[in-house]
Amino acid sequence: MPELPEVEMVVRHLQKLVTHRTILKAQLIRPGLAPENTPRQFAAWLRNATIQEASRRGKHILLHFDNARSLLVHLRMTGRFLYLEQDQANPPHTHALFLLDNAKKLAFADQRHFGLMHIAKTAELSQVRHLSKLAPEPFGEAFTANYLHAVLSRSKQPIKLTLLDQTKVLGLGNIYVSEALHRAKINPLLISSQLSKPRTTVLHREIVAVLSEAIANNSTMNTNPEEVSGSYTGGVYETMTKVYEREGLPCYTCQTPIQRFVQGGRSTYYCSKCQSR
Ligand SMILES: [Zn+2]
């Protein structure tokens, strides 16, 4: 499932592939993909629009056009962009299609149907409900150890659940939250407000480090839209996790078998010795 590093990789690929390209024709094939826009609006607002920039806010991909509108895209579970020749067949589960001015097309395929698109005026983007409540970007200046300490000190939830709340801390999904807590030697069940300031400083450093390393190592998925025939999973970082999906395997630090338990409906992986408190 794409998390922030995976989305960042997709944005970097799109920036390279489609910036300065003009959309000759846009087609919303599955109307439920963009429930707040009609297929007619989708086609009209994107026709002859030139893509000026691809960017990201949290796990949302943003394509900004020269007509003062932007397309917001959330990949959710299985959403994926594919970049093809126009005479190639559309991939299975293609739910939106963009014909470009270079004989290429960009297809949005989504096997599980959870993906989301929304066209908004670029000037009003920060007030769009999908984005308005998001916490500061993890690589931005506002995300500091002091910010993290203030957020955690107000929460009586287990720390893993607070870190997954995108209105409090942005960018951690189930993979990277387990990795960040392991690297910071924090028990996932610790009550958020009980984390000391020095340990919060370590956690802040490890959150930024784990996200940066995942991006530097091509994330956990195959995010290149040009690799049409390859599997969506199988990024390099998938093999580099220290606890995630390593249940029963020895901790790299102390050899204790990694444990898994279900927390908030999702698997948590940790080392009971390194992360005892
Ligand atoms: Zn250990």
Side-chain angles (χ1 to χ4, degrees), residues 207-270:
I207 288 172
V208 175
V210 77
L211 294 173
S212 304
E213 284 174 25
I215 291 168
N217 289 283
N218 214 15
S219 82
T220 63
M221 297 177 80
N222 171 19
T223 55
N224 187 350
E226 290 177 292
E227 288 176 24
V228 175
S229 55
S231 163
Y232 200 13
T233 54
V236 174
Y237 199 75
E238 205 174 29
T239 62
M240 294 172 68
T241 58
K242 294 188 169 60
V243 288
Y244 187 75
E245 289 192 333
R246 292 196 68 243
E247 183 182 13
L249 296 173
C251 170
Y252 290 124
T253 306
C254 73
Q255 312 304 317
T256 302
I258 300 300
Q259 292 187 21
R260 181 184 77 91
F261 67 99
V262 175
Q263 195 178 13
R266 303 173 78 185
S267 290
T268 292
Y269 298 87
Y270 81 118

